[in-house]
């Protein structure tokens, strides 16, 4: 079991009734772990339930997605302290949290996002949990916030920022994840070549759908195998050392054995 899907949303309605098939796909294709991210309080509860049912395969991340914050405010965030008190042994990370620059033209939405982001970063600091971060169009703001907290491990999921920022990310000990868009995105190909192999993880962000060879297919964990193959190809490396490095990076993020 050598591959990992470091970011998937197993509690998304698109996957309802399909979890067993997704887990079978993972098992049959050597996907060791699925880090299932939440977007709100309800999906946090659901992903904890999946982690309980499928221990050692599904790992739970809990939090409020910035889109949830923009649309619904921060009314649920106070519940997460109790959630971790009750189910902390099943929570592997805080996520998906972060900032989304699409909404920065609205001052109130920006304030709400930053308030929630800081709340969860503080929670991760107190609980010594890794953090999975959404940073679409907001990378600079995210990188400015993070050093204010003593965080153990950080993943910038679906990284599509400047390659010039990769050295800073590496120096700070952060990780990035790359998904199936790599197979048709020149931008992500640049990142996959430029990033140090020691900071790269693979993800699907399922149920997000993709173009290229995945056109019209339900997103499944096994898609990460093609991502690893593409990373190896872009870096002129054999598959095995790339696969093993990514697995090792994930073990460093989540501290699994």
């Amino acid at each position: 079991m050598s591959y990992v899907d470091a970011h998937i949303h197993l509690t998304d309605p698109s996957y309802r009734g399909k979890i067993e098939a997704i887990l079978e796909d993972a098992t049959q294709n050597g996907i060791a772990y699925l880090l299932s991210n939440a977007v709100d309080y309800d999906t946090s509860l659901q992903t904890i339930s999946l982690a309980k049912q499928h221990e050692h395969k599904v790992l739970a991340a809990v939090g409020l997605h910035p889109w949830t914050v923009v649309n619904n405010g921060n009314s649920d965030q106070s519940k997460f302290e109790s959630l971790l008190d009750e189910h902390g042994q099943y929570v592997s990370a805080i996520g998906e949290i972060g900032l989304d620059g699409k909404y920065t033209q609205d001052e109130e939405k920006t304030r709400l996002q930053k308030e929630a982001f800081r709340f969860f970063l503080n929670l991760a600091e107190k609980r010594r949990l890794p953090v999975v971060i959404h940073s679409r169009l907001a990378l600079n703001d995210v990188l400015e916030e993070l050093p204010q907290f003593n965080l153990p491990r950080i993943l910038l999921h679906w990284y599509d920022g400047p390659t010039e920022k990769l050295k800073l990310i590496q120096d700070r000990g952060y990780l990035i994840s790359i998904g199936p868009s790599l197979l048709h995105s020149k931008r992500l190909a640049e990142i996959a070549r430029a990033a140090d192999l020691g900071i790269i993880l693979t993800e699907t962000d399922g149920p997000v759908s993709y173009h290229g060879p995945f056109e019209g297919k339900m997103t499944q964990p096994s898609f990460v195998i093609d991502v690893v193959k593409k990373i190896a190809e872009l870096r002129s490396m054999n598959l095995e050392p790339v696969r093993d490095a990514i697995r090792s990076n994930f073990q460093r993020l989540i501290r699994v054995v």
Side-chain angles (χ1 to χ4, degrees):
M1 305 291 273
S2 298
Y3 299 92
V4 294
D5 186 344
H7 191 98
I8 188 170
H9 293 272
L10 292 176
T11 58
D12 189 275
S14 298
Y15 282 150
R16 192 166 293 137
K18 301 173 182 175
I19 296 300
E20 293 302 326
I22 289 168
L23 292 177
E24 181 66 14
D25 171 81
T27 299
Q28 292 299 317
N29 289 284
I31 316 300
Y33 298 106
L34 310 177
L35 181 57
S36 182
N37 282 251
V39 297
D40 55 22
Y41 183 75
D42 288 342
T43 54
S44 293
L45 286 173
Q46 292 164 27
T47 200
I48 288 171
S49 178
L50 285 173
K52 289 179 179 180
Q53 294 172 50
H54 306 285
E55 202 169 357
H56 308 305
K57 173 65 74 174
V58 176
L59 306 174
V62 303
L64 291 179
H65 194 291
W67 297 347
T68 304
V69 174
V70 164
N71 293 319
N72 301 329
N74 296 333
S75 59
D76 282 342
Q77 71 181 30
S78 61
K79 299 179 183 178
F80 283 86
E81 289 274 13
S82 298
L83 182 71
L84 287 169
D85 286 339
E86 187 174 352
H87 304 288
Q89 69 270 35
Y90 295 103
V91 176
S92 296
I94 299 294
E96 175 177 359
I97 65 170
L99 302 173
D100 194 307
K102 181 178 179 180
Y103 306 102
T104 53
Q105 63 273 28
D106 186 307
E107 290 185 9
E108 176 63 9
K109 290 178 179 178
T110 299
R111 184 190 68 79
L112 287 171
Q113 284 190 78
K114 288 190 174 181
E115 180 184 273
F117 189 38
R118 291 165 183 161
F119 171 85
F120 282 103
L121 293 177
N122 182 61
L123 188 60
E125 179 181 67
K126 287 193 295 184
R127 302 285 177 154
R128 303 306 299 156
L129 285 168
V131 183
V132 181
I133 295 178
H134 174 106
S135 59
R136 185 181 71 158
L137 303 176
L139 179 64
N140 288 337
D141 286 341
V142 164
L143 292 176
E144 185 177 318
E145 293 286 343
L146 292 177
Q148 301 177 47
F149 299 86
N150 182 19
L151 299 164
R153 298 167 300 281
I154 292 168
L155 170 61
L156 299 171
H157 114 87
W158 198 316
Y159 183 82
D160 63 355
T163 55
E164 292 77 15
K165 294 287 186 182
L166 291 171
K167 181 63 165 58
L168 173 64
I169 289 167
Q170 179 184 347
D171 288 347
R172 289 189 181 181
Y174 303 165
L175 298 162
I176 66 170
S177 52
I178 299 173
S181 290
L182 174 65
L183 276 72
H184 58 78
S185 167
K186 291 181 180 179
R187 177 83 190 121
L188 291 183
E190 291 175 3
I191 291 167
R193 287 192 194 96
D196 187 281
L197 187 56
I199 70 168
I200 295 176
L201 289 175
T202 50
E203 66 163 279
T204 61
D205 203 15
V208 171
S209 56
Y210 295 95
H211 303 300
F214 306 116
E215 189 79 45
K217 297 180 181 179
M218 180 181 75
T219 297
Q220 301 202 68
S222 57
F223 286 13
V224 299
I225 297 173
D226 287 315
V227 178
V228 174
K229 289 178 179 177
K230 188 65 176 179
I231 293 170
E233 175 190 323
L234 290 166
R235 300 174 72 94
S236 300
M237 295 178 65
N238 292 329
L239 173 67
E240 290 77 9
V242 175
R243 179 195 63 200
D244 294 347
I246 291 170
R247 169 70 182 269
S248 177
N249 295 342
F250 185 79
Q251 291 172 317
R252 193 168 80 248
L253 175 72
I254 302 296
R255 300 286 171 85
V256 292
V257 295

